[in-house]
Structure formats: structure tokens, C-alpha cells
Amino acid sequence: MNLPQETRYRAYSDWSKEEIAKINENVNQSPWHASYHIEPRTGLLNDPNGFSFFNGKYNLFYQNWPFGAAHGLKEWIHTESDDLVHFYVTGAELRPDTEHDSHGAYSGSAYEVDGKLFLFYTGNVRDKKWIRDTLQIGAWMDKDHNITKCENILIHKPADVTEHFRDPQIFNYKGQLYTIVGAQNLEKSGFIKVYKATDNNVETWEEVGNLDFGSTGSEYMIECPNLLFVDEKPVIIYCPQGLDKSELNYDNIYPNTFKICQSFDTENIKLVGASEIQNLDYGFEAYATQGFNTPDGRTLIVSWIGLPDIDYPTDKYNYQGAMSLVKELSIKDGKLYQYPVEAITSLRASSEQFTAKAETNNTYELELTFPPNQKSELLLFSDSKGNGLSLIVDTKEGKIILDRSKAGIQYATDFGTIRECSIDTKETTANIFVDNSIIEIFINKGEKVFTSRVFPEKHQNGIQIKSGEPTGKYFELKYQNGSKIN
Ligand code: FRU
């Protein structure tokens, strides 16, 4: 939503109780709230931040401008979880309240050091002429969720980057702490800067170079880079804005991509044996994915179900955006798989054989098998007039097609209403998670993923089988205590 700059950058303390109450009331009017996905309490949710394990719990913050569905003066909102499925807002917030983050506490990551969680983030600063500076800064969160900011700037903007320099991701590689930061160079190409913590002190960083990962630089900026390790193989996940479409086919305004690599050469700051660039997700919206390697050796990611610079049907209710399910990464036969964590099955409240249904409560999981040599089509969020979200699983031609053109309220149609990807022509499975206005589809247990919003009209809550003979289960899903996560 387009709001004037002075509204978006109004100090938090200037918003009156009455104004905030009105925003809350409006958010509550929406018919599209998710039941088991994280949504903002109010305003706009974008990137996952500070995803980490600390104090015996999983910690996940989200970027938020709390006063409306627009990108304004951002803060981080803290949530925590025992099982990576049920998340609770703790009340801790990283506010934009110092001269180093005066125009936003932008995205970043977190890492436990000596019983405290270190938050490493970008301070967005503008001067009176609205000229931007970006600083990489830090804060500490203790076990009681008290947040204390570091006084010093931890990484100043280097001479070879423009004002676009943000989203530090901290990670440990063989006992050394590194951080990578998304950047734009003076020729306006995207790249990634690499730093290491001097003596592993997270408050002192030295530049070690620009990451060599075989990129062409056709993008104008790389946002939210993450270097993760899956079975010791480096996987780099990033958002190359403006990437040339001859390099990778994508339809969303900005893609979220990855490369699987063979090793990390820390001498030459090189990801050796980097694969081709690939789409992380084939749906209409998944962006700013953030991950970390857990102390028990798993690799977890979570994505923003939303995109920059897009208006959503929820905007009129003063909120926008949601967080994806937490997905665990694995590599099989050289392919990256992403699948919700095991505990997701704890949401299954009841189970029945899969059949068409005139009505559901639009909060369910389908676990389906599609036979080989067959074109199957399902219509989800369907009504009696034949409207709905069409999902074609074609094991004859080897294709998945998701068509949103007849599914509820239309938006972002400039970027097309169909998304597709290829699959092998053999028996195929799909786990489909529906949550009122969210759908996450995992083909072959995460070999291909489609993450999307759908904003159904009233009574668009059926499941129709238009063709083919998929078999499987329907599970009704229920979040613990039935309430939404906020
Ligand atoms: C990505 C992003 C980040 C930035 C944040 C600001 O969506 O643009 O690069 O830190 O959002 O909210």
C-alpha cells in the first residue's frame, strides 16, 4: 500500500492509543487470517530475522512495520518455539531507536555467544536530505529477553559498495565465525561481502573478500544471502534482484534462488563447485528465506510468504505478509529437498480418505499420490460455480501447473496468474498445506515447492477433482488451543 513517507517514518511514540486501537480493530475484521502460520499482530510482516536456537528454544523474529500494510520504520518482533510449529510472541522487540538504526532495524541474523543471543542486523539511516547510510550493527538479548544494543558500528560501509549493503548472516565454519552481507557494487551489480570475527569476537569484524560463487552479476542487488551447510555441502540461498531472465526463468517480481556447492575454500573465499542457479520455490510468493544450522546438525529455513513492492488484498485491513512453515533441508541425488519439520504432523486433528468435498474449513493437509502417465487436476478453494485454485499434476508430460486466475480476489496479475515447474514422469506425491489464505505444496516430499497466497471469497472452500485419480489422505489441521499465532 502506498502511504506518504511522513506516515511510514513517524516515530513509534507519536502513534496514539486510539490510532493503534483502530488499527487492531481493523486487522481483526479480516476474513483471511491464518491459523497455524505466523502473521503480524498488525502492519506489514516481511523477512524472517534472527532464526536461531537459544536458551533451549527456537528463536525467530520477523521484520515489521506495525502501523499499516506498507514498508515503513521497521522493527524486529520476537517469537519463540519448542517444536518449530507452535510459535509464541514474547513481547521482545528490536526497535529503531538509536542514531545507528534511526530509519529502520533492517534484516539480520542471530547467534548464541556465552549464554546470550547476539543479534547482528542492518541499521538503516537517512540524513535530512534523505541520503541513506547502511551500518551493520549489533545487540544482545539475554535469557529474560532484555535487549541491549552495542554502542559501536560493527561494520562500516566499505568503499566499493553503494547504499545497498545489508542483511548480515552470521555462521560458524570450522570454529571460525563469519558473516556475509548482501551488497551492490559501484557498477550496480549485486555481490556478497565476507567478513570474519577477529579472535571470534562478534563485536570486531575484518573484511576477508567478496564471495566467489560463480555468479554473473546480472542482478543489481543481492538481498538476504545465507550460507548454510547441508551434510557438509555449502548451500548458498539469496535474493538476486533484477536477475537477467536468460540466466533463470522466474515470474515473481524478485526471485529467491540457491546454488549447491561442493566446499567452502576460506583461503580464496570461494564456494567451490557451485551448481547452476536454481529457484528455491516455484509459487507466487516466497522471499528473503533465512536459515541456520542447528546445534543438533539439521539445516532449517523459513521464508517470508510475500514479496516487496506488491499490494495485497489484506492491505485494507492494515496488515500484510506471513511466515512459511519451517522447512528442513536435505540433499538427495544432488537435489535440494525442503520439507516441513517432523512436528508438523502434530497439527493433524483428524484424518480421512481423500475425496472431493463441497466444503472444508480451509485449514487442512492433503497427502496425495498421483499415478504415473496421468494428468490430474484438483480445484482447491473451490465453489459451486467452478472457481478455485487449479493444481495440475501431470505425470504424462512431467509438469506441475498452479493457476490462480480463478482463485478468489485477484492481485499482482502483472506478474502472471500461472506458475509451473517440470517433474519426472513417474508416480508423484504432494503434501499440500492449506491455511485459509496460504498454500504450501511440497512435491515428492520437497523436491519442488510452491508457496502462495490465495484470498478466497466467502464459500470458496471446497476441493474438487477435475481429472485423474489421486489417492491419499485428508487431515484437518488445528493449532494448539485453536488460536492464531500473535
Ligand atoms: C528484503 C529486505 C532486506 C531489508 C529488509 C527491510 O525483503 O529489503 O534486504 O533488510 O527487507 O525490511
Side-chain angles (χ1 to χ4, degrees), residues 46-47 63 74 106-107 166-167 223-224 287-288 304 308:
N46 59 313
D47 310 358
Q63 280 277 284
K74 295 283 172 67
Y106 275 13
S107 289
R166 54 184 178 262
D167 313 334
E223 295 189 311
C224 305
Y287 197 70
W304 167 28

Side-chain angles (χ1 to χ4, degrees), residues 235-247:
V235 175
I236 179 96
I237 296 180
Y238 57 109
C239 298
Q241 293 187 300
L243 184 81
D244 197 308
K245 291 198 176 166
S246 63
E247 219 175 302

Side-chain angles (χ1 to χ4, degrees), residues 7 255 290 296 309 387 427 429 455 465-466:
T7 310
Q290 184 174 82
D296 63 0
D309 308 327
N387 296 306
E427 184 179 274
T429 67
F455 297 96
I465 305 168
K466 306 289 282 184

Side-chain angles (χ1 to χ4, degrees), residues 215-234:
S215 75
T216 64
S218 79
E219 67 281 301
Y220 59 78
M221 169 64 185
I222 289 182
E223 295 189 311
C224 305
N226 280 255
L227 184 54
L228 305 169
F229 295 87
V230 183
D231 298 335
E232 314 223 325
K233 287 223 156 72

Side-chain angles (χ1 to χ4, degrees), residues 49-62 76-81 90 92-94 108-121 137-150 154 170-171 177 202-203 205 290-295:
N49 289 161
F51 191 23
S52 55
F53 188 76
F54 166 63
N55 197 19
K57 289 187 190 294
Y58 296 97
N59 288 251
L60 175 61
F61 298 77
Y62 61 83
W76 291 26
I77 302 285
H78 182 236
T79 73
E80 61 183 23
S81 173
T90 64
E93 297 175 10
L94 182 69
S109 53
Y111 189 84
E112 175 170 359
V113 182
D114 297 336
K116 283 190 177 168
L117 192 64
F118 175 66
L119 312 179
F120 202 1
Y121 69 107
I137 52 182
W140 293 95
M141 186 170 82
D142 69 18
K143 291 185 173 166
D144 298 320
H145 304 137
N146 300 307
I147 295 178
T148 313
K149 292 187 179 177
C150 305
L154 306 184
I170 183 170
F171 61 94
L177 292 174
V202 295
E203 296 199 28
W205 293 90
Q290 184 174 82
F292 78 106
N293 283 94
T294 64

